[in-house]
Amino acid sequence: MTMYAVLVVYNKPLALSSSFQSALKEPDVQLLVVDNSTDESLSNQEEARQAGAWFLSMDGNRGLSRAYNAAFDYLKTKAGDWVVLLDDDTTVPAAYWKQLRQQNPDAVLLPVVRTSEGRMISPAEMRHDIPHPAHSWDSIEHITGINSGMAIPKQVADSYRYDERLFLDFIDHQFLKDMRETGHRIRVLPADLKQDFSAERPDRATCRQRLRIQKKDLAVYYGRRSWKACFLIMKRKLRLAYQVRSLDVLWW
């Protein structure tokens, strides 16, 4: 079995990425690093080369969808079974790779992803085209999830193009929505990953920039159904107001 892991990094040294270290430990996993960084002081290309990983520079932050498309284009001529998407802040245990090796590449696989506090964030349930947390992964009717640890059959990756109007948010939900609509199966891989969300330790400037990106992406995803985008943005603002202890977030 041949597996490729795609790791998109942004302004973070590879040496500090737990998912980078995890993939390197697996001899049958070829790692492809796609660098969206704007910090020119990083030496990620040399670090990747020394580790035996492939490296693609996006020459700045071009967005996650463009990074994934660049990775899929790079891998298209190479034979393989799986393309695994990794975030730079995800802890991927060896058990994940062991279980993946036992699966046939006949469905998109979503691992169980939890926050550092143990809350399950993926898979989730899509109701009325809005993602909702699920209490148990085995009772989800309309499944969705996040990119971290998502395993995509190579033949699916070879034929898919991400919507590059989406910069960061809802790229995963759009992909899984497309999979459902085209009849591809989506299954849960019962392996736990831990996600370290930087958004759980926010500063005001980062929160404001992140909210701008989310507004644009949700406007693209929902199109004329703008009330759904507004609903989700307001939920996000309320959560941010609580996190930064300031109501002026509601007017951002």
Side-chain angles (χ1 to χ4, degrees):
M1 177 169 286
T2 302
M3 297 182 286
Y4 302 100
V6 175
L7 171 62
V8 179
V9 292
Y10 172 71
N11 288 352
K12 184 173 188 176
L14 285 175
L16 299 181
S17 170
S18 56
S19 47
F20 177 74
Q21 304 300 331
S22 170
L24 290 181
K25 294 177 182 178
E26 307 300 322
D28 55 349
V29 176
Q30 176 59 56
L31 179 60
L32 170 60
V33 175
V34 186
D35 201 335
N36 258 339
S37 297
T38 56
D39 185 350
E40 297 181 358
S41 68
L42 297 175
S43 56
N44 284 337
Q45 183 169 6
E46 181 60 22
E47 179 110 14
R49 186 190 66 80
Q50 292 183 3
W54 296 333
F55 184 88
L56 282 176
S57 173
M58 299 300 291
D59 297 318
N61 188 6
R62 308 301 180 190
L64 190 58
S65 57
R66 288 190 179 184
Y68 283 155
N69 282 339
F72 285 6
D73 287 343
Y74 186 90
L75 296 173
K76 190 169 292 186
T77 60
K78 307 180 188 303
D81 301 287
W82 292 104
V83 176
V84 176
L85 304 183
L86 297 176
D87 286 352
D88 62 17
D89 53 2
T90 306
T91 300
V92 185
Y96 167 87
W97 302 107
K98 182 178 180 180
Q99 290 192 45
L100 183 57
R101 291 185 187 96
Q102 300 170 357
Q103 307 297 316
N104 291 322
D106 59 358
V108 175
L109 300 181
L110 293 174
V112 178
V113 184
R114 302 183 187 277
T115 65
S116 54
E117 290 79 22
R119 177 171 56 91
M120 188 176 80
I121 54 175
S122 183
E125 182 154 20
M126 189 66 83
R127 299 199 297 267
H128 306 293
D129 210 16
I130 295 176
H132 294 267
H135 298 294
S136 174
W137 58 262
D138 57 358
S139 61
I140 298 175
E141 184 175 354
H142 300 290
I143 194 168
T144 190
I146 64 175
N147 290 315
S148 298
M150 184 190 298
I152 304 171
K154 179 66 165 52
Q155 62 179 359
V156 174
D158 287 345
S159 61
Y160 187 79
R161 296 292 296 179
Y162 286 89
D163 185 347
E164 295 186 356
R165 296 176 302 161
L166 294 172
F167 190 84
L168 180 63
D169 285 293
F170 272 52
I171 291 171
D172 35 23
H173 300 307
Q174 183 64 61
F175 172 81
L176 292 168
K177 181 179 180 180
D178 291 341
M179 292 298 102
R180 291 193 303 271
E181 291 180 350
T182 53
H184 288 90
R185 297 173 61 202
I186 304 170
R187 293 191 284 109
V188 176
L189 183 69
D192 277 22
L193 278 59
K194 186 173 75 173
Q195 184 84 355
D196 180 22
F197 276 116
S198 58
E200 293 177 352
R201 300 182 297 276
D203 62 81
R204 291 177 63 86
T206 300
C207 287
R208 193 159 193 164
Q209 177 60 23
R210 185 72 178 79
L211 189 62
R212 289 194 192 103
I213 294 171
Q214 192 170 44
K215 284 180 178 179
K216 292 180 180 178
D217 285 346
L218 292 187
V220 170
Y221 181 86
Y222 285 111
R224 294 181 179 178
R225 301 166 297 161
S226 58
W227 69 269
K228 292 187 178 184
C230 292
F231 169 74
L232 290 173
I233 290 299
M234 182 52 67
K235 284 184 63 177
R236 175 64 175 160
K237 286 183 176 181
L238 290 170
R239 189 160 55 247
L240 286 176
Y242 174 78
Q243 289 175 325
V244 302
R245 302 295 193 270
S246 176
L247 289 178
D248 69 340
V249 171
L250 302 179
W251 285 269
W252 283 359

